[in-house]
Amino acid sequence: MASGTTAPPPPASLPRIVAASLIGTTIEWYDFFLYGSAAALVFNKLFFPGSDPLVGTLLSFLTYAVGFAARPLGALVFGHYGDRLGRKKLLVLSLVMMGGATFAIGLLPTHATVGTAAPVLLTLLRLVQGFALGGEWGGAVLLVSEHGDARRRGFWASWPQTGAPAGQLLATGVLSLLTAVLSDDAFDTWGWRIPFLLSGLLVMVGLWIRLSVDESPVFKEALERSESRREQGETEKLPLVSVLRHHWRDVLVAMGARMAENISYYVITAFILVYATTSAGVSKQTALNAVLIGSAVHFAVIPAWGALSDRVGRRPVYLLGAAGIGLWMFPFFALVDTGSFGYLLLAVTVGLILHGAMYAPQAAFFAEMFATRMRYSGASIGAQFASVAAGAPAPLIATALLADYDSSTPIALYVIAAAVLTLIAVGVARETRHRDLAEVTAEDGEQAGTSPAAEARTV
């Protein structure tokens, strides 16, 4: 075990570190969600014309899912170098890649101009987005988790998680504003490009803030120990190899924990734009406004759920969210089917509040599962590999179920099945609250021959 605990940074520096992670994740999620909203609203007409509207939407969501397919590769590459070189360097790179790809989408010619080259280019840029986001999440939450102490880790680590609703809020807000002030013709012709081009300015702001923070002290300490061992002739295993050897159970737990969280989120925020406008007779503007307001509430409740996980544990809060989202699905669609904005808003907002109970403790929970020199790889692999099976096909599966059955019942059952998987995964996991992240190192796990997550103890 490490002989001493790395002292947390001075109180004034932690909020700055949180702000750097939050602003970066907000920008990257803005880019990622902007694509999802555009896929539901406009890409089917601009890049996949000539199809039945629902088929065009399916093709549009297919390119949306491609971004998720690239996320595990991003997790592997960024996780490897993040565990070798540090969290900060990789976070800067991920921000540049994501912002550059999003800006380029805003400049793309459409199918009417270049034919089939348009959807091909769109898909390639989506792959770059997914690759960058696959490496972003792990580094952002670890930078905060490793700077703080165990007592309030759930609260502080939940702030980078608010980057998802903040990015959703920003993306939906910009789209909502444009659809309100522009005619459908103007929006489809040129207005949709504005939010993508705006990403270039946001990335410059994010880089300025992210470059101002220091590397994680826990990582620095672990790196010094690793260099000392190398000087003594010891060979350090690749982070990926160590994760799969000593943390494979933790990876499976993380993947299972992501199922309900990931699937429910994309059904509530992306697929709902299709369902509400095609099946419930709600206007595009009304559906966007409901997601916009719901995302604002989501942003506000995530730190509260994170703080609660510091008091009662990560597992109880996570289990509450998974059970709640499963129970809410049938009422969710029943409320949307009324066509009332008030009921639609209630459906989305309650769904996102319950989602927040899973998403808020997730950052600290996953960080606490893995040893420092394999933490970036472990947390990223567990989170992003699950996204391929969960978030990637969620809007696609939901849209296909709607097309086949013309009913919300199969979609609700789909989310409920995901909730059951998450309840099982989190139910068999060990509680990690109060764990000292500097306490267990990679070599300790190897000597013990067990996963360090299984050795977590209350400090």
Side-chain angles (χ1 to χ4, degrees):
M1 291 293 213
S3 57
T5 301
T6 303
S13 69
L14 188 54
R16 185 176 73 248
I17 293 160
V18 170
S21 291
L22 170 58
I23 290 174
T25 54
T26 297
I27 293 168
E28 296 218 25
W29 281 115
Y30 164 80
D31 293 347
F32 205 75
F33 288 140
L34 181 61
Y35 189 104
S37 296
L41 298 174
V42 70
F43 283 172
N44 57 332
K45 292 175 283 187
L46 297 178
F47 293 92
F48 304 98
S51 304
D52 173 86
L54 202 55
V55 174
T57 301
L58 278 168
L59 292 172
S60 185
F61 274 142
L62 188 59
T63 63
Y64 174 74
V66 162
F68 286 84
R71 283 165 70 169
L73 181 59
L76 290 172
V77 174
F78 279 82
H80 172 83
Y81 288 104
D83 282 327
R84 286 299 181 91
L85 305 177
R87 291 45 168 133
K88 178 181 171 179
K89 295 182 181 69
L90 276 297
L91 284 175
V92 170
L93 178 60
S94 69
L95 186 59
V96 172
M97 289 182 66
M98 175 67 88
T102 304
F103 187 82
I105 289 174
L107 300 175
L108 275 183
T110 63
H111 189 279
T113 305
V114 296
T116 55
V120 171
L121 291 171
L122 180 68
T123 302
L124 289 174
L125 290 172
R126 181 59 174 174
L127 283 168
V128 175
Q129 280 191 324
F131 181 82
L133 191 62
E136 160 69 22
W137 180 84
V141 300
L142 293 188
L143 196 64
V144 176
S145 296
E146 292 179 345
H147 269 93
D149 64 325
R151 188 173 60 87
R152 301 191 70 197
R153 185 179 298 126
F155 171 73
W156 288 115
S158 71
W159 279 100
Q161 298 290 76
T162 65
Q168 179 78 66
L169 188 64
L170 189 58
T172 307
V174 172
L175 284 172
S176 183
L177 176 63
L178 288 171
T179 55
V181 300
L182 297 176
S183 66
D184 286 347
D185 229 16
F187 181 80
D188 291 350
T189 303
W190 57 269
W192 67 271
R193 298 181 183 274
I194 295 175
F196 289 91
L197 297 176
L198 179 62
S199 179
L201 177 61
L202 296 176
V203 166
M204 297 304 294
V205 175
L207 280 175
W208 175 68
I209 296 174
R210 189 161 273 186
L211 286 168
S212 69
V213 302
D214 198 10
E215 183 56 80
S216 151
V218 173
F219 176 80
K220 286 181 178 179
E221 184 180 283
L223 184 60
E224 289 173 4
R225 289 195 301 267
S226 178
E227 289 174 349
S228 175
R229 289 194 302 272
R230 278 200 298 269
E231 289 172 1
Q232 296 170 12
E234 294 183 28
T235 302
E236 186 177 34
K237 292 183 177 65
L238 293 176
L240 175 61
V241 174
S242 297
V243 167
L244 296 180
R245 180 180 176 185
H246 302 291
H247 287 280
W248 62 270
R249 291 182 182 85
D250 299 318
V251 170
L252 291 178
V253 166
M255 291 177 66
R258 285 275 282 169
M259 288 298 160
E261 176 268 306
N262 223 217
I263 289 173
S264 66
Y265 188 77
Y266 291 106
V267 167
I268 293 170
T269 60
F271 170 72
I272 196 62
L273 298 178
V274 175
Y275 184 82
T277 54
T278 60
S279 295
V282 175
S283 71
K284 181 194 307 180
Q285 183 67 45
T286 299
L288 282 169
N289 287 343
V291 174
L292 184 69
I293 297 170
S295 295
V297 176
H298 194 210
F299 179 92
V301 301
I302 284 177
W305 284 123
L308 182 62
S309 78
D310 285 327
R311 297 179 63 88
V312 304
R314 318 297 183 215
R315 291 174 67 253
V317 176
Y318 213 119
L319 290 169
L320 173 64
I325 205 70
L327 293 172
W328 184 243
M329 276 301 102
F330 280 113
F332 172 84
F333 283 108
L335 290 169
V336 175
D337 285 338
T338 65
S340 161
F341 173 71
Y343 286 133
L344 172 62
L345 178 60
L346 177 64
V348 170
T349 302
V350 172
L352 289 177
I353 289 172
L354 292 169
H355 173 270
M358 294 181 282
Y359 200 53
Q362 185 181 101
F365 189 34
F366 288 8
E368 290 159 350
M369 288 181 181
F370 302 95
T372 303
R373 290 287 282 163
M374 59 185 83
R375 185 170 292 134
Y376 202 143
S377 295
S380 297
I381 291 169
Q384 303 307 334
F385 272 70
S387 70
V388 176
L396 194 63
I397 290 173
T399 304
L401 289 172
L402 180 63
D404 287 346
Y405 296 96
D406 194 26
S407 169
S408 63
T409 299
I411 305 166
L413 292 173
Y414 167 52
V415 179
I416 290 169
V420 172
L421 285 175
T422 293
L423 287 169
I424 293 171
V426 178
V428 301
R430 291 180 181 271
E431 180 58 61
T432 60
R433 182 171 62 112
H434 290 324
R435 186 179 182 203
D436 182 353
L437 295 184
E439 186 177 68
V440 180
T441 60
E443 65 270 21
D444 292 322
E446 290 167 8
Q447 290 169 1
T450 60
S451 164
E455 298 173 356
R457 297 289 185 270
T458 301
V459 177

